[in-house]
Amino acid sequence: VNEGFRDADFVSDVVTGWLPELSGEQPTFLWMHLFDPHDVYQARAPWATEFYDQMAQQRPEMLADAATRDRRLSMWSRLLMRDLLAAPETATDRAVVGTLEALYDSEIRYMDGVLAALMQRVDPNHDAVLIITADHGDEFRDHGYLGHRTTLYEELVRVPLIIRAPGAGQPGRVISEPVSTVDIMPTLLELATGDPTEAGLAGVTLWPTVLGDGAPSARPLYTSVRRHGEEVRGVVQGETKLT
């Protein structure tokens, strides 16, 4: 199902409708793509309460009622991002960018809550393998830019990778050695078939690491982005990064 940029509640309802199929005897693979922490940013309650208070003082007409407020905030977020991207950074931008960052954070908290509730319905016994990751982060003038598809700084390329599996290792264990999202497919292949070496895969299986059999071996990891028609490349190995 591809419904475009719909919010997490909508996606959750779609997946909930599949529960009879997901609870069958056959092994099931479910990929769910949530767009919420992505511009245009929405103000998600209750996490954006402080932001609402500020808006009530500065732009009270935007808070007339919930439906009008949310529609106007979405439009305002889009226009603000456009204007900031088109103009050089100024000292007064910091407060405005901070507002966008607060909206972004509220989107993350909102998505977390929807995802947690959905997982309780889809996997009430916690016996499924669960992987949570992201394709990129967003920058809020950390290095002079906004959004993504701009640079290879850590705020854009260092994304979460959370793996939960029954009987796997110590809960909450953190692996400091860098890995890559290209490692997800070999990891799932080893779990499903016992063989992670299907031809053409660039990554390595993380399944031994998930089971607690040591950290993944150090190796160079590559990243790239196309910006203004030019490909920017980077390589990471251990604590060293070159772009």
Side-chain angles (χ1 to χ4, degrees), residues 5 29 34 36 44 48 57 74 95 105 128 130 141-142 201 212 223 232 234-235:
F5 283 74
F29 174 77
L34 300 177
D36 301 278
R44 302 290 187 175
Q57 297 175 12
S74 175
D105 289 344
L130 175 66
R141 295 290 200 208
D142 302 70
L201 292 179
T223 184
V232 182
V235 60

Side-chain angles (χ1 to χ4, degrees), residues 1-242:
V1 175
N2 183 355
E3 295 284 352
F5 283 74
R6 304 299 294 265
D7 65 26
D9 278 309
F10 178 91
V11 178
S12 176
D13 288 343
V14 171
V15 174
T16 298
W18 296 342
L19 286 181
E21 298 176 58
L22 298 175
S23 59
E25 294 298 322
Q26 292 296 319
T28 303
F29 174 77
L30 170 66
W31 175 53
M32 185 167 60
H33 193 159
L34 300 177
F35 283 103
D36 301 278
H38 197 290
D39 68 275
V40 177
Y41 309 121
Q42 311 291 329
R44 302 290 187 175
W47 306 283
T49 301
E50 181 179 350
F51 173 68
Y52 285 142
D53 292 342
Q54 294 174 359
M55 290 301 298
Q57 297 175 12
Q58 299 171 15
R59 299 285 300 278
E61 74 279 5
M62 293 186 69
L63 303 179
D65 61 80
T68 303
R69 177 197 67 200
D70 292 344
R71 184 175 67 254
R72 288 180 174 176
L73 284 174
S74 175
M75 185 183 303
W76 178 81
S77 173
R78 183 188 301 274
L79 294 175
L80 182 60
M81 180 72 82
R82 183 198 66 187
D83 292 345
L84 287 173
L85 288 172
E89 183 178 6
T90 68
T92 57
D93 279 355
R94 186 61 253 172
V96 179
V97 172
T99 298
L100 284 177
E101 195 167 6
L103 296 179
Y104 176 75
D105 289 344
S106 79
E107 290 272 43
I108 294 173
R109 295 293 297 274
Y110 157 74
M111 185 193 67
D112 282 351
V114 174
L115 184 60
L118 178 63
M119 287 301 100
Q120 288 295 326
R121 295 195 294 271
V122 173
D123 182 27
N125 299 318
H126 304 291
D127 57 358
V129 175
L130 175 66
I131 298 179
I132 299 175
T133 190
D135 53 344
H136 60 77
D138 272 2
E139 179 181 2
F140 295 91
R141 295 290 200 208
D142 302 70
H143 290 89
Y145 295 92
L146 280 171
H148 51 276
R149 296 181 181 173
T150 51
T151 69
L152 298 176
Y153 287 113
E154 291 295 274
E155 55 267 22
L156 297 175
V157 301
R158 184 171 182 172
V159 298
L161 178 57
I162 302 169
I163 302 177
R164 187 209 72 190
Q170 177 184 356
R173 191 162 50 102
V174 177
I175 304 302
S176 59
E177 184 65 40
V179 297
S180 173
T181 51
V182 298
D183 299 330
I184 295 174
M185 177 65 83
T187 302
L188 290 174
L189 275 177
E190 179 167 11
L191 174 62
T193 69
D195 182 8
T197 59
E198 183 172 312
L201 292 179
V204 301
T205 177
L206 302 176
W207 193 241
T209 302
V210 173
L211 295 176
D213 297 335
S217 58
R219 69 193 196 278
L221 300 173
Y222 300 97
T223 184
S224 66
V225 65
R226 182 166 293 278
R227 186 182 68 196
H228 307 312
E230 178 185 6
E231 186 172 20
V232 182
R233 300 179 181 180
V235 60
V236 177
Q237 182 160 8
E239 297 181 357
T240 303
K241 180 177 179 180
L242 176 67

